Amino acid sequence: MTIDTIFARIVRGDVPADIVYRDDLVTAFRDIRPLAPTHILIVPNEAIPTLADVSAGHEPVLGRMLRVAADLAAREGIAQGGYRVMINCRDHGGQEVYHLHLHLLGGRPLGRMLGR
Ligand code: AMP
């Protein structure tokens, strides 16, 4: 059983969000607490709790998430300068919402990935 998260409610339309893209597999919306000028979350419409829970059957949706990230980066005008895509997984990864999501971040130099 998957937990009904805030992102599942956004996908269903029960909770408002600034949705920038939607198709049969994924939904993308702006992060409510953006960490960069562009900060978009891309989520599977069918909830998967974490990246650690994916299986071979999820390959189409995982591929779609990355392709949509690249398309949205182009649409946001950040593809030329560059951007970052990020997935936090479980406790040590800093995951807060247990509905798999990809962060698309850009619009300013983001620096190195992690501090030492
Ligand atoms: P993570 O730490 O990878 O689980 O990231 C969760 C992200 O979801 C954070 O960047 C939050 O700001 C964002 N977030 C939480 N609630 C909402 C919401 N209702 N609408 C948009 N973004 C949200």
Side-chain angles (χ1 to χ4, degrees):
M1 193 190 84
T2 47
I3 302 158
D4 191 33
T5 65
I6 184 78
F7 292 173
R9 283 177 231 144
I10 288 171
V11 168
R12 286 202 305 271
D14 294 344
V15 167
D18 186 356
I19 293 176
V20 294
Y21 179 83
R22 185 177 177 82
D23 65 25
D24 57 322
L25 291 179
V26 305
T27 300
F29 49 91
R30 295 194 191 277
D31 196 292
I32 207 165
R33 292 190 302 271
L35 296 172
T38 292
H39 188 173
I40 291 171
L41 302 174
I42 301 161
V43 311
N45 294 339
E46 296 285 336
I48 305 164
T50 82
L51 189 62
D53 299 302
V54 303
S55 57
H58 293 124
E59 285 177 11
V61 71
L62 295 172
R64 183 73 60 86
M65 288 167 72
L66 278 174
R67 206 264 295 152
V68 166
D71 286 355
L72 289 175
R75 197 205 285 179
E76 292 278 309
I78 61 171
Q80 180 102 15
Y83 54 88
R84 181 170 295 157
V85 295
M86 210 172 69
I87 293 174
N88 296 322
C89 181
R90 295 185 173 166
D91 190 30
H92 286 192
Q95 185 174 2
E96 288 174 17
V97 179
Y98 277 63
H99 179 132
L100 178 66
H101 52 282
L102 182 154
H103 295 256
L104 168 64
L105 294 149
R108 65 169 172 81
L110 296 169
R112 292 180 65 84
M113 191 169 62
L114 288 175
R116 293 216 176 264

